[in-house]
Amino acid sequence: MALTPARTMPGVLELLPLDQIAFQRMLDTIRRNYERFGFLPVETPAIEFSDVLLTKTGGETERQVYFVQSTGALAKEGTPELALRFDLTVPLARYVAEHEHDLSFPFRRYQMQRVYRGERAQRGRFREFYQCDIDVIGKDGLSVRYDAEIPAVIYSVFRELDIGPFTIQLNNRKLMRGYFESLGIADGERQMLVLREVDKLDKRGADYVRDTLTGEGFGLSAEVAGKILDFVQVRSTSLEDAFGKLDALGSGPEALEQGRAELKEVLGLIRDFGVPESHFALNLSIARGLDYYTGTVYETTLNEHPQIGSICSGGRYENLASQYTKSKLPGVGISIGLTRLYWQLRDAGLVDTARSTVDVLVTQMDEARMPAYLALASELRGAGIATEVVLEGGKLGKQFKYADRAGIRFVVVLGEDELAKGVVTVKDLRREDQFEVARTELVKTLRVELEQAAAMG
């Protein structure tokens, strides 16, 4: 009988244990910071009703959806009843609409789960990946102050992740719409088309975008195209500089004035939230999906690795669940696509393999003394020290080799000599050093060693 090849489908990230630990620690860091800011956990099913999931049809994301069928439903025709979620926003909208009367508003939730998309198989694109989202949902209204709190969360997360200097870049969709309107581009659909071209600025360059905007498809004048390019290339170097550049835009339609006022308030409050001015900036090129976001928008980038692109993005939206409820539910939120981010950081050498979560290996010198080894391991575990026991014996050198390969730093030996003297031998495999410690002092000594090891990384 031929063996079936063991293989995973393209577009998934399957890690070896020590890499999985590194990934898990990133998840834990993000979760810890979300909770630190008062966000509450929510999980929704991986599978939703298709008609709920696809309330907005025709978008690129929806065309990548994975439908789910039971074997009994395979023969039925038409759209399958169930589908895998492709993001966490649509399930959140359904969740809030369904539980609206049981939730306290503003509703502050975080959600860290896998989502599924039928991406084309290519390097760095995933069909199954983790998203780590936070959103604040208001009922009838939501203060713009929450727009300023979100960057404080982003700053807290990425400072603790310690993956290098980063900048949270902000814009406001009202400001963009108002500025376009002042140039005679008032139609929403036309604004979206122009923004799609502007989005190509980094990849294609200013000349390409200018030629496209003044070409047959758009027919904008050279003057208007030039003003658009000047607008989207505005960046700030400090809070004072950001205020100055916003004022320099001049007066305009109501949307522009409202957007400018919101941006000024948000930028000032971000500083009050404790985010250093070096970590946030005005960037008038950020658009973030014209048909969804309505106010503040964010993108976060690594200063020394711009090729990675945005590592965290999001913004303000007017009504989260308009497809499911008549209640008006405005909100603001962000998402970290952790699977892709981890893959990019590892590829760039910014994230390394982690240490094992096992702190200590208790070796086996004599099978007859197994009760003593198990008692020692129980004592260590009771003290909060993750401990593995060698249960099958073998040569001591082989046991050391196993610990080293598994990433376990400390090995304890309790042989005949140690038992006679009331001591335990501790071997530090990383420093290639060993020492004896009194049996009664082992827990205290190992705690000190582990704290030092953690501090040194």
Side-chain angles (χ1 to χ4, degrees):
M1 179 179 171
L3 296 174
T4 301
R7 65 195 191 279
T8 56
M9 74 173 193
V12 297
L13 186 67
E14 190 172 73
L15 301 170
L16 292 173
L18 298 185
D19 291 315
Q20 186 65 43
I21 292 168
F23 182 84
Q24 190 64 45
R25 284 180 178 158
M26 291 183 76
L27 272 174
D28 292 343
T29 297
I30 295 169
R31 180 183 293 107
R32 182 164 55 248
N33 281 279
Y34 285 174
E35 291 183 346
R36 194 173 287 160
F37 277 80
F39 289 86
L40 302 172
V42 161
E43 286 202 353
T44 59
I47 301 172
E48 297 271 358
F49 285 111
S50 299
D51 60 346
V52 171
L53 202 61
L54 301 175
T55 47
K56 289 183 178 180
T57 56
E60 184 61 34
T61 303
E62 287 86 341
R63 285 197 291 270
Q64 297 171 345
V65 73
Y66 280 111
F67 289 105
V68 179
Q69 286 183 309
S70 66
T71 51
L74 284 173
K76 293 183 179 179
E77 295 182 359
T79 302
E81 184 185 17
L82 303 172
L84 292 173
R85 59 175 177 236
F86 53 78
D87 71 3
L88 298 179
T89 303
V90 175
L92 172 64
R94 189 269 307 155
Y95 180 94
V96 174
E98 189 171 345
H99 301 288
E100 182 180 343
H101 301 296
D102 298 314
L103 298 174
S104 298
F105 290 92
F107 175 51
R108 303 165 63 89
R109 86 84 166 86
Y110 76 84
Q111 191 168 350
M112 302 170 60
Q113 290 184 279
R114 289 184 175 95
V115 299
Y116 302 87
R117 291 183 192 172
E119 292 278 8
R120 286 184 293 115
Q122 56 181 306
R123 181 176 166 84
R125 304 295 292 183
F126 293 95
R127 293 173 173 175
E128 176 191 64
F129 56 96
Y130 266 97
Q131 280 189 202
C132 306
D133 290 13
I134 52 170
D135 287 85
V136 184
I137 312 299
K139 196 161 186 177
D140 300 322
L142 186 72
S143 169
V144 75
R145 292 171 183 168
Y146 291 99
D147 296 25
E149 183 186 31
I150 295 293
V153 183
I154 297 172
Y155 173 70
S156 182
V157 167
F158 287 103
R159 181 181 59 175
E160 189 172 338
L161 284 175
D162 195 24
I163 54 177
F166 58 92
T167 303
I168 306 160
Q169 302 178 71
L170 296 95
N171 194 5
N172 189 293
R173 298 303 304 278
K174 293 174 185 174
L175 182 78
M176 298 189 83
R177 289 204 314 272
Y179 189 77
F180 277 40
E181 190 181 330
S182 72
L183 298 177
I185 308 169
D187 178 68
E189 183 66 28
R190 194 157 186 244
Q191 288 182 357
M192 182 173 69
L193 292 172
V194 171
L195 274 174
R196 282 179 183 167
E197 293 306 316
V198 167
D199 254 356
K200 300 173 184 175
L201 191 63
D202 290 339
K203 292 181 180 177
R204 299 289 190 94
D207 290 339
Y208 171 88
V209 175
R210 185 182 293 105
D211 291 344
T212 304
L213 294 179
T214 56
E216 290 184 11
F218 292 92
L220 300 179
S221 69
E223 182 186 4
V224 169
K227 286 182 176 179
I228 290 172
L229 286 169
D230 288 343
F231 177 85
V232 298
Q233 292 182 78
V234 169
R235 308 285 187 275
S236 70
T237 55
S238 67
L239 188 58
E240 184 180 357
D241 183 48
F243 286 165
K245 284 176 175 170
L246 286 172
D247 288 338
L249 295 174
S251 59
E254 183 182 352
L256 186 149
E257 299 299 345
Q258 192 175 353
R260 173 164 41 206
E262 287 183 4
L263 257 180
K264 282 186 169 183
E265 183 175 357
V266 168
L267 288 166
L269 281 170
I270 291 172
R271 180 183 59 183
D272 295 339
F273 268 107
V275 181
E277 289 186 34
S278 57
H279 283 73
F280 66 98
L282 186 68
N283 180 341
L284 296 190
S285 70
I286 296 170
R288 301 302 315 160
L290 187 71
D291 59 342
Y292 183 66
Y293 294 110
T294 56
T296 310
V297 283
Y298 319 96
E299 283 192 356
T300 305
T301 52
L302 293 176
N303 299 357
E304 296 170 1
H305 299 273
Q307 76 282 0
I308 288 178
S310 178
I311 58 174
C312 173
S313 58
R316 159 75 68 142
Y317 40 87
E318 199 60 40
N319 197 353
L320 175 74
S322 58
Q323 294 90 358
Y324 316 117
T325 176
K326 292 181 180 178
S327 298
K328 186 181 179 186
L329 300 167
V332 61
I334 48 128
S335 179
I336 301 171
L338 187 61
T339 300
R340 183 167 180 265
L341 175 59
Y342 171 81
W343 184 87
Q344 289 174 308
L345 293 174
R346 194 175 68 165
D347 200 46
L350 299 175
V351 171
D352 204 355
T353 298
R355 292 186 300 110
S356 173
T357 50
V358 181
D359 297 319
V360 174
L361 178 73
V362 176
T363 58
Q364 183 187 139
M365 298 286 287
D366 180 354
E367 192 172 343
R369 300 194 186 277
M370 183 59 74
Y373 306 143
L374 296 179
L376 177 59
S378 294
E379 183 183 343
L380 294 177
R381 289 171 188 145
I385 298 171
T387 304
E388 180 184 346
V389 183
V390 175
L391 297 177
E392 292 190 272
K395 293 182 179 179
L396 192 59
K398 188 176 180 181
Q399 296 177 44
F400 284 164
K401 190 173 181 179
Y402 164 79
D404 189 43
R405 188 172 183 183
I408 305 170
R409 179 166 180 172
F410 294 99
V411 179
V412 299
V413 178
L414 189 61
E416 190 173 332
D417 291 345
E418 284 85 3
L419 285 165
K421 293 191 289 183
V423 300
V424 176
T425 298
V426 178
K427 186 172 180 68
D428 183 338
L429 295 180
R430 188 173 298 182
R431 287 194 311 211
E432 297 183 345
D433 181 31
Q434 71 178 47
F435 55 90
E436 286 187 352
V437 58
R439 177 74 172 76
T440 53
E441 294 293 312
L442 179 60
V443 166
K444 182 179 177 181
T445 301
L446 278 174
R447 276 181 172 160
V448 171
E449 293 288 334
L450 288 167
E451 285 173 8
Q452 289 177 348
M456 294 175 67

